[in-house]
Each structure stands twice: as structure tokens, then as C-alpha cells.
Amino acid sequence: MNKMSHTLRNILLSIRDLFISAGPIAFLGVGLVVLAFWWIKPTPPKTVTLATGPAQSAYEEFGKRYRQALAAEGIEVRLLSTEGSSANLQLLRSGEADLAFVQGGSGELQEGDQDELVSLGSLFVEPVWLFYRTDAARRIAPSGRLDGLHQLRGLRVNVGAAGSGVRALVDKLLDANRVPPASLQLSRLDQTPAVMEFLAGRLDALVFVSAPESPMVQMLLQTPGVQLLDFAQNEAYSRRFPFLAPVTLPRGVVDLAANVPPRNVRLVASTTSLLAREGTHPALLTLFAQSAQTIHSGAGWFNRAREFPNTRSAELPLAKEGERAINERAPLLQRYLPFWLANLIERMWLVLGIVLAAMLPLSRIVPPLYQFRVRSRVFRWYGRLREIESQMEAGTARPEDLFAELDRLDAHVEKVSVPLSYADELYALRNHIHLVRKKVRAMGEAATAQAEQQA
């Protein structure tokens, strides 16, 4: 038991010496890592705000999908319901939203937007849906079918709420057709009230700019007595307005059995992008950009599979996180590790490398420090042994007193514990104590012999 206790004591002392020797350098290294962690902030915030759109809109539906996708990574996405794209731009500029859906051509970009906002790519197209009542159209055309914006004069038309961005787009289209807004009875109702008024016959037409996933669009496409305006000049519109693209709603795509729509319908569409504030955490941008690959990559009414997201039609600088998610495979670490761990390593590896490079030269002083601490437990007693030897040579102490001092010194040395690799120095000290003891004994014997001769 005593032997085991002595061995354990030696081990603990060695560990203590090693910790004391390497402790300051280890503390410095940990401090540098903590400082780098605080400066880089590799861990994203747990809450992010996404500005979507009106209730029951495609923006709201997509927002719910992003919220579900990021919830799997422990991120809470707060959905901020708005009137639409123009309001979303304002929320991004004011900092009330971190990310937002914004459609091309829905609002005028300001000078500072190029520096303060970034794009995560184009997500989907949003056709201009102009629904009109057949009974109202018969007052203009006996066939009950309209084929141009110029035929809307005198009709009651809803162009969306003030912040939706639809009004700005409709104004551009009306101006291109030389139709003054004053020639129409325009209203700015929100989407749901506008549909109720339209179905009740108190509106003749209404305009949406929305993805086909919108429940309102799906419902109106299948409502009897409601028709969708065919933009026969959709190619010309796309030449006049760079943010617009010509698309076609194929015959029967809504309902093959009922043949809805009964014919191909030509439309114009704007491209919607996911925008973010420049200061949004890069890990959040990566999560949103990667989620977009799943949410928007499927085939739709106006695109084939994997056409979206893409980097085309970007009105703002593309964030590097968005570009990497769209054009490259997922990073190697993210394929095998949880996102939080892969993100931590990816964002910290360079800093950790720099810290390691700085710590390597400093680590070279640890072995000499450790050696000095262990050997000092032995060498400190050489000073006392030297004092005893000096007293002996000077003759200032009696041999009996010197023997007592050497015994006390030997007792202290017996309690000194050192690693086995330094045991030779401990035994050397004990041998030197024995040599001094022999000198004291010889000196005592010589003094006794001299005293006897004198007697």
C-alpha cells in the first residue's frame, strides 16, 4: 500500500509540474481561441426574421417551408407578414427584417442598396396574373375575352396594397400601353378582401404578381366566370423590361381532366429573389441558400426541374454563400457532420491554424521549464549541503552538530519525489551527502587523535 501511495504521489507530482510548466502557454492558447471565437462569431444567432408577404400568398407558403427547414438546425425563423415586395425592401433597409422575398421590378433600388443588400439567388418566377370577370369583359368585347391592357379602360381594377409592389409594376405596363391610370377605376385592397370584392361583382378585374403556389391563384384559375388575360405581346414586354420574362401557362396544366386552362395562356413574369442584409450571419445565409436548393429546385408550371435557384436576373450583388450553394456541391464536412459542427470547423480552422503556428515556437520552452522544475527539487538541497561543507572547512561547528545537520538534510532528501528519468540526480545528491558525512567523520577523528597526542 505504501509503495502504491508513493508511486501515485510521484505521478501526481509529475502531472503538477507539467501543468505548471505548460499552464501559462496553454492558458495563452485558450485565450487566443476564445478571443477569435468572440471576434469571428462562428455560431449563428438562434432567431432570424424573414419578411414574406400577404396572408395566403406564395411568399407566406414559402416562408413556412424555410421556417420548417431551419428549425431542423435549431434556428427559429420569425415570419413577418407584409403587403409585398416594396414593403419587404423597406424592412430590409430599416433592419427590421434580416431576409426577404423581393420580386424584380417591384420597387426602385436606392443608391445604398448595392452596399447594404445581397442576393441569395433567383428563386422562382412570378407571373402577372390579371383575372377579369367574363360579364364585365362582354361590355368591351362581345366574345367576353380580353387580349390587352388597353381594353381595361373604364373597368374597376384592383392593383394590390400600397406596399405590395404590384402598383409600381402595373404603372410601368400601363404607361407602355399608353393607358393613363386615371382612365381606370383603381383600388388598392389587400389580396383577400380584393378577391372577395371580385367574386361579389364589385370589381371587374384584379392583378396579382405571385407564384402559382398561391392558394388565391389556384382558386381563381378554376372559378367559373373568371378568365385570365392572355399577354399576346409577352415577348415584346420582355424586350422592353429586363426584369420581365415571357412564360406560358400550358393548356390543361391546372386540371388535365377539366382541361383548365382550355388553351395556352401567354404571360409575363418577374423573377423573385431572396435578399438579405449585408451584416446577416454567414451561417444563416448558408442555411437559407442550401434550403432554397430543396424548396425551389422542383419542376413547376413555368420551369423544369433544377432551373431554380439560379444566378440569373440578379439586380444586386450575389452573396458568396448563395453562389456556392447554387454552383457547387455541399462542402465536404457538411456531408458527414451536423451543420453546426461543420460550420464551426469551417469558420474556425484558419484561425486555429494561425494560433497553432504562433503557439508552436512557444511550446519549445515547455520541456526546459519542466526539466528545471523537477531538477530544482533536487538542486535546492545542494545549497544547504554546501553550507554544511563550508562550516566544516572553516571549523566553526562541531562535528556532532554537522552530523545532526547532515541527518536532517538526508531526511528531507528522502522525501523528495522525482520521475524515474531524473532519479540519477537524486541518488547523486544522496551520495554527495554521504561524502560530506565521511569528511566530517574524518575531520572528527583527526581532531580526536590530535587531542590525545596533546594530552
Side-chain angles (χ1 to χ4, degrees):
M1 181 65 70
N2 290 336
K3 181 179 180 181
M4 183 179 297
S5 176
H6 186 70
T7 303
L8 180 61
R9 181 170 179 271
N10 286 341
I11 293 174
L12 292 177
L13 283 173
S14 298
I15 294 175
R16 187 195 68 177
D17 288 331
L18 182 61
F19 179 79
I20 294 176
S21 301
I25 296 176
F27 181 78
L28 176 62
V30 171
L32 290 176
V33 171
V34 171
L35 181 63
F37 189 92
W38 172 82
W39 180 52
I40 295 178
K41 296 181 176 62
T43 305
K46 294 299 182 182
T47 304
V48 61
T49 302
L50 173 63
T52 56
Q56 300 185 7
S57 66
Y59 286 2
E60 183 185 56
E61 177 62 27
F62 285 130
K64 292 177 181 178
R65 297 184 192 180
Y66 278 101
R67 180 172 61 187
Q68 182 179 3
L70 268 72
E73 303 295 343
I75 306 297
E76 178 189 357
V77 179
R78 293 178 53 249
L79 301 182
L80 192 59
S81 182
T82 68
E83 293 85 359
S85 289
S86 294
N88 289 354
L89 269 176
Q90 294 299 327
L91 291 172
L92 284 175
R93 290 165 182 155
S94 65
E96 297 177 62
D98 302 303
L99 299 100
F101 298 116
V102 178
Q103 65 189 33
S106 63
E108 297 296 334
L109 293 176
Q110 298 179 358
E111 184 177 350
D113 290 343
Q114 295 288 334
D115 299 324
E116 297 178 2
L117 304 178
V118 293
S119 172
L120 293 180
S122 301
L123 305 181
F124 51 88
V125 293
E126 290 191 285
V128 178
W129 308 91
L130 199 159
F131 293 99
Y132 60 91
R133 294 178 60 87
T134 304
D135 54 3
R138 285 200 178 99
R139 299 198 301 266
I140 300 170
S143 65
R145 290 179 56 191
L146 304 180
D147 59 6
L149 294 179
H150 63 281
Q151 294 177 302
L152 297 179
R153 288 185 176 90
L155 296 184
R156 298 167 296 178
V157 182
N158 187 79
V159 293
S164 66
V166 178
R167 177 60 186 272
L169 179 57
V170 171
D171 283 347
K172 294 174 183 177
L173 299 182
L174 291 175
D175 182 65
N177 285 272
R178 301 195 187 100
V179 178
S183 66
L184 285 71
Q185 300 179 48
L186 296 177
S187 61
R188 291 190 175 188
L189 299 176
D190 287 333
Q191 192 175 86
T192 301
V195 171
M196 299 300 294
E197 292 291 298
F198 178 72
L199 295 177
R202 290 185 286 272
L203 284 175
D204 300 318
L206 48 81
V207 184
F208 293 156
V209 178
S210 176
E213 286 83 358
S214 169
M216 292 297 186
V217 171
Q218 297 273 349
M219 182 267 292
L220 289 172
L221 285 171
Q222 303 181 67
T223 300
V226 174
Q227 296 193 58
L228 179 62
L229 181 69
D230 178 44
F231 283 81
Q233 300 167 309
N234 62 347
E235 288 287 350
Y237 280 108
S238 67
R239 301 297 193 274
R240 292 284 299 273
F241 302 101
F243 53 84
L244 293 179
V247 295
T248 300
L249 184 67
R251 174 183 175 181
V253 72
V254 179
D255 190 333
L256 286 170
N259 194 31
V260 179
R263 64 190 66 84
N264 289 345
V265 182
R266 291 160 293 187
L267 302 172
V268 292
S270 64
T271 302
T272 293
S273 300
L274 181 59
L275 303 187
R277 289 181 58 79
E278 178 66 35
T280 305
H281 197 284
L284 289 177
L285 297 182
T286 298
L287 281 173
F288 271 93
Q290 292 178 348
S291 299
Q293 306 307 303
T294 302
I295 296 173
H296 304 288
S297 62
W301 289 359
F302 303 102
N303 64 278
R304 299 185 184 277
R306 292 181 293 279
E307 285 187 10
F308 289 98
N310 61 53
T311 57
R312 300 186 297 271
S313 306
E315 297 180 272
L316 290 169
L318 193 67
K320 60 181 180 180
E321 292 80 7
E323 187 171 11
R324 182 168 67 171
I326 292 171
N327 299 323
E328 302 176 14
R329 294 185 62 192
L332 180 64
L333 292 177
Q334 293 185 25
R335 298 177 213 164
Y336 304 102
L337 298 176
F339 177 82
W340 69 269
L341 181 58
N343 172 71
L344 180 64
I345 296 174
E346 287 176 3
R347 292 185 56 76
M348 290 291 292
W349 72 268
L350 181 59
V351 174
L352 291 176
I354 295 174
V355 171
L356 183 62
M359 296 301 297
L360 280 176
L362 293 177
S363 66
R364 295 177 181 175
I365 68 174
V366 173
L369 283 176
Y370 176 76
Q371 184 181 38
F372 173 77
R373 284 197 54 82
V374 173
R375 298 181 70 182
S376 66
R377 293 209 295 269
V378 176
F379 292 160
R380 59 180 293 201
W381 299 111
Y382 273 104
R384 181 57 185 152
L385 181 62
R386 181 63 178 167
E387 291 177 4
I388 295 173
E389 192 174 19
S390 298
Q391 291 176 1
M392 178 194 68
E393 293 173 352
T396 57
R398 297 180 305 167
E400 296 81 2
D401 295 335
L402 294 177
F403 278 125
E405 287 292 334
L406 288 170
D407 289 340
R408 282 193 292 271
L409 178 59
D410 203 13
H412 284 301
V413 172
E414 286 182 357
K415 297 178 181 178
V416 174
S417 298
V418 294
L420 291 178
S421 57
Y422 295 91
D424 57 336
E425 297 181 359
L426 180 62
Y427 283 107
L429 172 61
R430 298 180 70 176
N431 285 333
H432 293 156
I433 293 174
H434 181 66
L435 289 175
V436 173
R437 183 180 278 111
K438 288 176 66 177
K439 288 184 179 180
V440 172
R441 184 179 293 110
M443 184 189 71
E445 290 175 354
T448 302
Q450 183 178 4
E452 290 177 352
Q453 290 178 357
Q454 291 177 355

